[in-house]
Amino acid sequence: MKGLVYKSTGSWYLVKADDGKLYEARLKGIFKIDGITSTNPIAVGDQVEMELSAEGEADAMITEIFPRHNYIARSSPHHIKHHHIVAANLDQAVLFASLKNPKTSLGFIDRFLATAEAFHIPAIIIFNKADIYHEKEKQQYKRIEKMYPSLGYPVFLVSVSMQTGMKEVEKIFDHKTTLISGNSGVGKSSFINLIAPSMNLKTMEVSQWSGKGMHTTTFAEMHDIPGLQAARIIDTPGLREFGMADMDKQEISHYFPEMRDRLNDCRFNNCLHIDEPGCAIKAAVENEEIFMERYISYLKIMDTIKESEY
Ligand code: GDP
Ligand code: ZN
């Protein structure tokens, strides 16, 4: 039977089979995926083949994993040796953010976007807590609305508490598998509880698997969104930042679309766009063709990368 992994703990998996039922599954033997030795060979979003075990109906053995369309990992896509795969087969990644209580920094947003670029996953930003924005935050949002959509990242403004802006946002999940991330306190859990209240894995017929850590929230988990067709969200609790840990300095500008488009125009082909002469990126920042905020985020990311890595 084929199935889709809804939760992966590294030792056992929650798999929704084609019959619509949930099974607790384990891996049969050890196998490598795509020639990569991963610390977690199977991730949320993986499509698998499984055999039901003889003794219990809710138990199954995963015998095969189907090729991934894509995945997102904690480390760079170019450092495939130490993968920890967060989720597989994603259509898009949503960053939940807020401009107040707590403020999500542009640096944090741009790191998320660059990570999504690195793994070729379309990204969307949802700003929450619109109900508490004052003039300052409203002005900031105007700037954000000007910046991100022009770079290919749609933005939305909602208030989960007041349930404003939610109708528009719900549409983006239709027929998609979406990874949701965000710094803590921005209202991500409130949002997920609102749009996917019934797909509460804790309330499903899993009580018989007592003592198996069903209630831990440290693992990514997939939820169906009721009322929409094939809409799934993957919640990533505890996952604040990922993907950029071991990227090379040379690769970062490739993950800023507005820089990527201009790389060929720099005088030196190993230009890092910091203080090199004839740098097309810096010229574009000066001409306001590249947003200054984005360039600052780029420099901050570059600062966090060790010299030895390029
Ligand atoms: P998470 O850490 O991102 O999962 O955030 P939570 O969902 O736990 O929410 C953090 C706090 O923000 C809670 O006290 C929520 O009630 C509050 N919150 C969530 N959405 C909104 C909103 O739209 N407006 C306001 N003012 N508070 C909100
Ligand atoms: Zn340059």
Side-chain angles (χ1 to χ4, degrees), residues 193 196-206 221 223-224:
N193 285 338
S198 69
M199 185 57 199
N200 189 345
L201 290 178
K202 293 174 198 82
T203 66
M204 302 201 67
E205 70 276 29
V206 293
E221 214 171 300
H223 307 258
D224 289 324

Side-chain angles (χ1 to χ4, degrees), residues 253 262-263 265-268 270-283 298:
S253 56
R262 294 175 164 91
L263 294 177
D265 301 333
C266 290
R267 186 177 305 161
F268 302 109
N270 62 349
C271 187
L272 293 176
H273 329 298
I274 297 172
D275 46 23
E276 294 88 344
C279 174
I281 304 301
K282 275 179 54 187
Y298 169 78

Side-chain angles (χ1 to χ4, degrees), residues 244-259:
M244 311 208 68
D246 53 5
M247 284 186 187
D248 293 342
K249 282 203 166 178
Q250 205 60 248
E251 69 183 292
I252 303 301
S253 56
H254 293 259
Y255 307 143
F256 281 71
E258 68 274 51
M259 297 189 187

Side-chain angles (χ1 to χ4, degrees), residues 196-253:
S198 69
M199 185 57 199
N200 189 345
L201 290 178
K202 293 174 198 82
T203 66
M204 302 201 67
E205 70 276 29
V206 293
S207 50
Q208 74 248 41
W209 313 338
S210 54
K212 285 179 180 158
M214 278 310 293
H215 297 271
T216 58
T217 53
T218 46
F219 299 104
E221 214 171 300
M222 190 147 70
H223 307 258
D224 289 324
I225 303 182
L228 292 180
Q229 282 279 308
R232 303 184 184 99
I233 50 175
I234 298 176
D235 181 19
T236 52
L239 188 71
R240 306 186 88 252
E241 282 196 45
F242 51 92
M244 311 208 68
D246 53 5
M247 284 186 187
D248 293 342
K249 282 203 166 178
Q250 205 60 248
E251 69 183 292
I252 303 301
S253 56

Side-chain angles (χ1 to χ4, degrees), residues 28-294:
K28 190 174 186 172
I30 298 167
F31 50 85
K32 284 191 172 184
I33 292 153
D34 305 337
I36 299 168
T37 312
S38 165
T39 50
N40 60 331
I42 292 183
V44 167
D46 266 329
Q47 286 177 303
V48 297
E49 182 72 42
M50 59 183 180
E51 285 168 7
L52 300 192
S53 76
E55 68 262 32
E57 278 230 345
D59 269 25
M61 205 57 107
I62 295 170
T63 55
E64 195 185 339
I65 164 169
F66 294 101
R68 292 177 177 134
H69 306 301
N70 63 25
Y71 62 85
I72 200 156
R74 282 223 172 97
S75 50
S76 159
H78 296 150
H79 290 72
I80 59 171
K81 286 272 154 59
H82 320 286
H83 264 64
H84 178 93
I85 295 168
V86 173
N89 299 321
L90 301 165
D91 294 308
Q92 58 192 9
V94 161
L95 180 67
F96 227 70
S98 178
L99 294 176
K100 203 179 171 189
N101 292 354
K103 184 177 168 66
T104 310
S105 71
L106 291 183
F108 187 88
I109 292 171
D110 291 330
R111 289 180 77 90
F112 176 88
L113 297 174
T115 303
E117 288 289 339
F119 291 100
H120 305 287
I121 295 166
I124 296 168
I125 320 165
I126 300 175
F127 288 88
N128 186 30
K129 308 203 183 188
D131 56 295
I132 56 166
Y133 292 3
H134 289 303
E135 203 44 46
K136 187 178 89 183
E137 290 81 21
K138 283 176 185 161
Q139 288 305 322
Q140 285 168 349
Y141 188 71
K142 275 197 182 136
R143 176 75 176 162
I144 278 165
E145 254 183 328
K146 205 174 144 201
M147 278 169 54
Y148 291 113
S150 76
L151 303 171
Y153 308 116
V155 297
F156 293 90
L157 181 60
V158 302
S159 164
V160 172
S161 301
M162 310 302 283
Q163 298 201 23
T164 57
M166 295 291 291
K167 275 237 156 61
E168 270 202 309
V169 159
E170 270 210 0
K171 286 187 197 134
I172 67 177
F173 296 98
D174 202 22
H175 286 91
K176 300 262 166 71
T177 296
T178 307
L179 180 106
I180 300 196
S181 194
N183 51 314
S184 81
V186 295
K188 193 178 68 148
S189 317
S190 310
F191 177 75
I192 292 172
N193 285 338
L194 193 66
I195 66 163
S198 69
M199 185 57 199
N200 189 345
L201 290 178
K202 293 174 198 82
T203 66
M204 302 201 67
E205 70 276 29
V206 293
S207 50
Q208 74 248 41
W209 313 338
S210 54
K212 285 179 180 158
M214 278 310 293
H215 297 271
T216 58
T217 53
T218 46
F219 299 104
E221 214 171 300
M222 190 147 70
H223 307 258
D224 289 324
I225 303 182
L228 292 180
Q229 282 279 308
R232 303 184 184 99
I233 50 175
I234 298 176
D235 181 19
T236 52
L239 188 71
R240 306 186 88 252
E241 282 196 45
F242 51 92
M244 311 208 68
D246 53 5
M247 284 186 187
D248 293 342
K249 282 203 166 178
Q250 205 60 248
E251 69 183 292
I252 303 301
S253 56
H254 293 259
Y255 307 143
F256 281 71
E258 68 274 51
M259 297 189 187
R260 185 169 58 214
D261 290 347
R262 294 175 164 91
L263 294 177
N264 286 337
D265 301 333
C266 290
R267 186 177 305 161
F268 302 109
N269 65 9
N270 62 349
C271 187
L272 293 176
H273 329 298
I274 297 172
D275 46 23
E276 294 88 344
C279 174
I281 304 301
K282 275 179 54 187
V285 175
E286 273 153 33
N287 297 336
E288 298 182 15
E289 287 163 14
I290 286 180
F291 294 106
M292 177 62 84
E293 294 94 325
R294 291 274 295 169

Side-chain angles (χ1 to χ4, degrees), residues 248-250 272 305-310:
D248 293 342
K249 282 203 166 178
Q250 205 60 248
L272 293 176
I305 295 169
K306 288 188 230 77
E307 291 300 319
S308 59
E309 286 178 3
Y310 79 96

